[in-house]
Amino acid sequence: MIGANGEGKSNLLEAVELLGSLRSHRSGHDRDMVRHGQSRALVRGWCGDGQGHGLGAPGSSLDQLELELRRQGGRLARRNGKALDRQLDLVGPLRCVGFSALDLELVRGEPSQRRQWLDRVVLQLEPVYAELLARYGRLLRQRSQLLRRGVSQGEQQLQSLLDAFDQQMALIGTRLHRRRRRALVRLQPLAAAWQERLSGGRERLELRYQAGSRLEGEEAEAPWREALLEQLRRQRPQERRLGACQVGPHRDEVAMLLGEEPARRFGSAGQQRTLVLALKLAELELVQQLWGEPPLLLLDDVLAELDPRRQELLLEMVGTGHQCLVSATHLASFSATWQGGDSQVVRISRGELVDSPTNR
Amino acid sequence: MHAFADALVGARRQVGQCSRCFHLSAEPLCEICRNEERRNGQLCVVADSRDLLALERTREYRGGYHVLGGLISPMDGIGPELLQIQPLVHRVDQEAMGEVILALPPSVEGDTTSLYLARLLRPFCLVSRIAYGLPVGSELEYADEVTLARALEGRRRME
């Protein structure tokens, strides 16, 4: 997809991402995805397995997926016109992995960026994780409100309520810690292999899970839960002074080390870009291993940032099995191999495809 | 139309709360609290009257009830003092209960309230909680992951 900035290329890719993962990398709020002055937005797409089979609709070769967003929140998902009980049921036929220019934040940005990236991977591995994340978020918000507003009946009541929150946060928190750690253990060798390849064998990447709680010994649910419970209790005076809970998965960090040095501080811009690409390729490989089918790739304005050698390596990984949606401002930013084969070029202007697809 | 309006006004005037369990009632004591046979040492705690009515429809439970009138939620400014918790503790203490069954929804607020109550009531009697799991007649393979995970968590030893 070729078009000048602001013509709607990213918008289109974001819509595909929403249908495939129910999330947007750009914003966590539905209100940011609804056009100004409108109350609702609708994303509609059709997908099939490319061999003339829809994945559910009888008599049709394509499934119709719809997601309706509302400014004030609340979503409605439909497949082939039929409303689904849970929006999670929309996910499945269309899996995608997105690359965008924002992703450099993954290395340079705040720890929350890396937690979100890891969470996206865990969500692909275990859909039930979404419920755990939402629950933990709600626990944190309730807890901070409790501390902000206080209680009417004194210290003992406050401590009892905090106990009730601690118990739930230790349980859910331990589950988040375990799942994140497990996902990182699976990603680490894949990411390291890609970093080595992309750097011509010069760079060794290590991903290290730094839990926001002190969790000692081997991974085990009960001891970890006990440890977290104890730490939650002990941090209370500090929590009240600082107004925020001091331990738990919301303080997790993923350390990214290039040859023992933190990539965030010591990596050059080029190294950081390679690192993001390695992380993304690892994510792609893991999703593919897991589902046995290549996910759809969304490359939003990133090819231009890669030198021809890295573009070639990316193409090699993508191979012929992946369907890829790529956006750029100029056709010239693609290396020749990207333009060959069965690629199709379309132009986008003011949110619409302006000329009919040209086969190349 | 007049009859309908009268019924509404009448309902508004007559229906209040049972002074013991806080269920909706036209009398000072509700039908369940007036029934001596239902004072069997079991007390079921629910968030509101709708939940009580749902449990009543099962015709399985023969004990008493206590309606909290909501759930603890600091985000909504609802602390324990806004719920019927003091009267609950008083009842459990005075009426010599054998068991209190917590039947609150499996949400963050429901669980917080359950944990808070369990701690308060444990010195007086046995405190239990209803199980969460699969709807009867459903197939395991069609259950959603969240429900299945909850059902696994609440598994029971086979006797």
Side-chain angles (χ1 to χ4, degrees), chain A residues 229-246:
Chain A
L229 192 62
E230 174 59 27
Q231 288 163 46
L232 280 165
R233 200 167 294 147
R234 234 183 299 152
Q235 57 93 43
R236 279 185 201 169
Q238 209 186 349
E239 176 182 22
R240 287 168 83 171
R241 212 167 48 244
L242 300 169
C245 182
Q246 302 294 301

Side-chain angles (χ1 to χ4, degrees), chain A residues 305-323:
Chain A
E305 295 175 11
L306 300 173
D307 58 37
R309 206 185 84 78
R310 290 188 181 121
Q311 280 197 27
E312 292 309 312
L313 274 168
L314 179 58
L315 190 63
E316 204 178 295
M317 170 64 199
V318 172
T320 49
H322 292 269
Q323 187 181 8

